[in-house]
Amino acid sequence: MIILIAFLFGSIVGSFLNVCIYRLPRGESVVAPRSRCPGCGKPIRAWDNIPILSFLILRGRCRDCGQPIAWRYPLVEGLTGILFALTVAHYGPTALAASLLPFVAALVVIAFVDLDHQLIPNVITLPGIPLGLLAGLAVGGPPILDRILGALTGAGFLYLVLLYGGVLYGQDAMGEGDLNLMALVGAFLGWKAVAVTLLVGCLSGSLAGLTLIALRRLGRREHMPFGPFLALGALISLYWGDALVAWYAGHLR
Ligand SMILES: [Zn+2]
């Protein structure tokens, strides 16, 4: 029941995240004005703005002009719902879970903004870092020193890659935004999760890059955003990090 509520709450938040993903990089307010159809400019009615359901009822078209609604909108709503449900399923209905939901929402916005614009908005990462560190004092989870160490190692590792990794990943494969994102991940999840995030992020990013190059969808010199892969790594370490670390430690023995 609580997991279903978390899903529904997440899909409503996801509806707001869609607005953030579109408006934040354009420097527009995320509060006003109300959402409009990009086709005909008519404001979207409240009852046509129910997450996922409205898209299905309207069969993916605007009620006024019949223009297709991007499938991205219900996808982000469903994804946020699933991630919120997973967070509550994993951490229980606790203060720790509540502190992680904004972090998960931030990861969704960062991943899609980076996909669209090859940029990670500082307006999300920079205020999030102190919030993550403070959560260590308030709600449990990784202790604050663990989080500080995580923020430093996350950003520090990418800084080294940025300095010396031009050889490995090509020119400006990563930017300052990725550094701030890793500091955010460290602040919320601690240093062990940073290691898992970097590992999963680099592996999945390289795999996706090589696949796209093989399919000739991406030129060798073209830029591929790294943020979505770091976000994926952070989510995997959020839900399965402990299991991965335990499995790895078991293999060391
Ligand atoms: Zn319309």
Side-chain angles (χ1 to χ4, degrees):
M1 187 62 191
I2 186 86
I3 291 168
L4 180 69
I5 292 171
F7 174 81
L8 294 176
F9 177 59
S11 64
I12 294 167
V13 170
S15 178
F16 173 66
L17 298 187
N18 274 318
V19 176
C20 296
I21 291 165
Y22 185 83
R23 293 187 185 174
L24 272 183
R26 292 173 171 83
E28 297 171 8
S29 162
V30 296
V31 194
R34 292 199 31 210
S35 302
R36 288 162 186 282
C37 165
C40 62
K42 291 233 172 81
I44 294 162
R45 299 164 183 83
W47 58 87
D48 283 344
N49 213 356
I50 305 162
I52 309 167
L53 269 185
S54 288
F55 184 85
L56 298 175
I57 293 169
L58 292 170
R59 292 169 192 277
R61 289 180 180 279
C62 168
R63 187 186 291 281
D64 292 304
C65 65
Q67 230 197 44
I69 303 166
W71 55 268
R72 163 81 76 81
Y73 293 105
L75 175 84
V76 167
E77 290 161 357
L79 176 69
T80 311
I82 290 169
L83 294 177
F84 274 32
L86 275 174
T87 307
V88 171
H90 194 88
Y91 294 94
T94 57
L96 177 59
S99 79
L100 288 169
L101 296 182
F103 171 67
V104 167
L107 288 179
V108 172
V109 174
I110 287 168
F112 283 96
V113 168
D114 199 17
L115 264 182
D116 289 348
H117 303 276
Q118 278 80 54
L119 104 121
I120 294 177
N122 286 342
V123 68
I124 296 179
T125 49
L126 295 185
I129 295 165
L131 285 180
L133 296 178
L134 286 176
L137 295 173
V139 297
I144 184 149
L145 278 178
D146 193 340
R147 293 171 187 248
I148 293 173
L149 194 62
L152 291 176
T153 49
F157 180 83
L158 283 198
Y159 182 70
L160 288 179
V161 174
L162 213 64
L163 274 185
Y164 301 106
V167 198
L168 263 175
Y169 287 95
Q171 221 64 47
D172 50 75
M174 263 171 260
E176 181 210 341
D178 297 298
L179 244 87
N180 295 337
L181 170 56
M182 280 315 300
L184 179 72
V185 171
F188 271 91
L189 303 182
W191 70 269
K192 274 184 208 152
V194 160
V196 175
T197 301
L198 287 171
L199 189 69
V200 174
C202 291
L203 281 178
S204 61
S206 311
L207 204 67
L210 290 175
T211 309
L212 287 174
I213 288 170
L215 294 172
R216 297 183 188 285
R217 298 282 299 273
L218 184 79
R220 265 169 212 286
R221 302 253 162 248
E222 247 178 294
H223 178 89
M224 192 181 67
F226 195 39
F229 300 100
L230 290 176
L232 174 72
L235 289 170
I236 286 179
S237 64
L238 179 58
Y239 305 125
W240 299 289
D242 293 343
L244 280 172
V245 169
W247 175 80
Y248 183 71
H251 276 250
L252 285 183
R253 245 177 259 135

